[in-house]
Amino acid sequence: MQVVSISSLKGGVGKTSVTLGLASAALAAGIPTLVVDLDPHADATTGLGVTASDKPGIGEMLKNSRRAQLADNVVSSGWVANDRRTRTAGHKRQPILDVAMGSAFSGIYDRPDLGKRDLKRLSTLLGRVSGYGLVLIDCPPSLNGLTRIAWTASNRVLLVAEPGLFSVAGTERTMRALELFRKEFAPNLAPAGIIANRVRSGSNEHTFRLAEMKQMFGDLLLTPTIAEQANWQQIQGAAHSVHHWPGESAKQAASTFDELLKNLVETGTVRNRVIRRAG
């Protein structure tokens, strides 16, 4: 089970949108996936079409991490019904896209002074979970407690950036913070790469910043980049999977996320094999 945190220390770069796009690609690929919505705003939960539930959110489960059973309290994404209708009769495996719902209560852990015991709360919950090939954790845009909890529970961290000055600088700070965190708390944690989001092909500024990012981060800058899409807010507002949204632009976006997910899964599998052999 690969556990990947989707992070950025700068807000507004489309981190949750990338989480939803990768979740959509995983559903289309038939990879059993769990999305952990660790952002107290719970936008990923809304975008995944989760209806109101009397089950506890992730904040309440973090508080009771020693006793809570995450598997008993996840809910199925509203996208799953659409995926079932579009699958052919030859697909026997039922699609799985579950959500550990976002919760404002999780904000009690979003502070900078958490001890090691608190940092392991999500790890404890995920340690009792099986049946998923991929776990995506949508983090808040900060390096406070919730992001550190997510990184402690993860194998890798996927960074999201826009090709702009402030976002590129924020990504560099995140990389430094990730390296310091890895040395102190999580020696097996590694960056999964950096996704450039909302790229405008006709923008000289974006072209310049992408070249700058390539020089700064090398192979960590993943391809393909994600093009700016005019109807993305409409897709999310409808709580719809991009893979089931009509139109050529949505089709192209879905193809981009398919390729990014393939790279993410394949590189993670190779890395896990190397770690096992080294151990």
Side-chain angles (χ1 to χ4, degrees):
M1 185 172 73
Q2 293 192 49
V3 183
V4 181
S5 288
I6 293 88
S7 298
S8 170
L9 297 194
K10 185 182 183 302
V13 298
K15 170 183 54 60
T16 298
S17 298
V18 170
T19 303
L20 296 176
L22 292 172
S24 179
L27 180 63
I31 300 172
T33 300
L34 171 65
V35 176
V36 178
D37 189 356
L38 215 55
D39 192 329
H41 291 101
D43 290 337
T45 299
T46 301
L48 285 160
V50 172
T51 56
S53 172
D54 58 356
K55 294 183 178 181
I58 189 62
E60 291 79 5
M61 286 188 279
L62 287 174
K63 182 179 179 181
N64 299 295
S65 59
R66 290 187 175 183
R67 297 183 299 274
Q69 295 297 324
L70 192 150
D72 294 337
N73 294 298
V74 299
V75 295
S76 182
S77 166
W79 298 354
V80 171
N82 289 332
D83 189 78
R84 283 175 178 162
R85 284 195 291 268
T86 57
R87 284 175 180 264
T88 64
H91 287 80
K92 295 182 180 180
R93 179 183 297 178
Q94 292 297 319
I96 296 174
L97 178 57
D98 291 339
V99 185
M101 296 180 294
S103 166
F105 188 84
S106 62
I108 67 172
Y109 295 106
D110 205 24
R111 59 183 198 270
D113 59 344
L114 292 186
K116 290 185 177 181
R117 177 179 174 182
D118 284 331
L119 290 178
K120 293 180 179 179
R121 288 180 181 272
L122 183 56
S123 298
T124 300
L125 288 170
L126 290 176
R128 296 193 292 267
V129 168
S130 62
Y132 298 108
L134 179 66
V135 178
L136 300 172
I137 307 175
D138 188 32
C139 301
S142 69
L143 191 54
N144 285 328
L146 287 174
T147 295
R148 291 158 66 86
I149 284 173
W151 288 4
T152 302
S154 298
N155 309 116
R156 294 187 295 159
V157 177
L158 181 66
L159 305 182
V160 180
E162 287 184 326
L165 173 61
F166 299 136
S167 182
V168 172
T171 302
E172 187 177 25
R173 291 195 303 272
T174 308
M175 290 294 295
R176 290 199 300 267
L178 179 59
E179 179 61 19
L180 290 173
F181 187 85
R182 185 191 68 80
K183 289 180 178 178
E184 185 172 359
F185 297 105
N188 291 326
L189 186 64
I194 301 164
I195 290 179
N197 190 32
R198 297 174 179 166
V199 176
R200 296 193 299 271
S201 59
S203 168
N204 291 334
E205 172 67 9
H206 281 201
T207 300
F208 175 81
R209 294 300 173 191
L210 284 173
E212 182 181 45
M213 292 172 72
K214 183 63 178 178
Q215 184 177 14
M216 292 170 65
F217 305 119
D219 291 340
L220 285 175
L221 181 62
L222 302 180
T223 55
T225 60
I226 302 173
E228 186 174 57
Q229 186 169 332
N231 63 349
W232 191 250
Q233 289 187 343
Q234 185 182 8
I235 296 172
Q236 292 181 334
H240 227 278
S241 161
V242 67
H243 284 71
H244 294 110
W245 194 261
E248 185 60 30
S249 63
K251 183 178 179 181
Q252 292 176 357
S255 177
T256 296
F257 282 112
D258 286 340
E259 191 168 348
L260 287 169
L261 179 71
K262 181 180 178 181
N263 293 338
L264 181 67
V265 171
E266 288 181 350
T267 56
T269 300
V270 170
R271 180 179 178 277
N272 288 341
R273 287 172 181 166
V274 170
I275 290 173
R276 285 198 296 267
R277 287 172 183 169

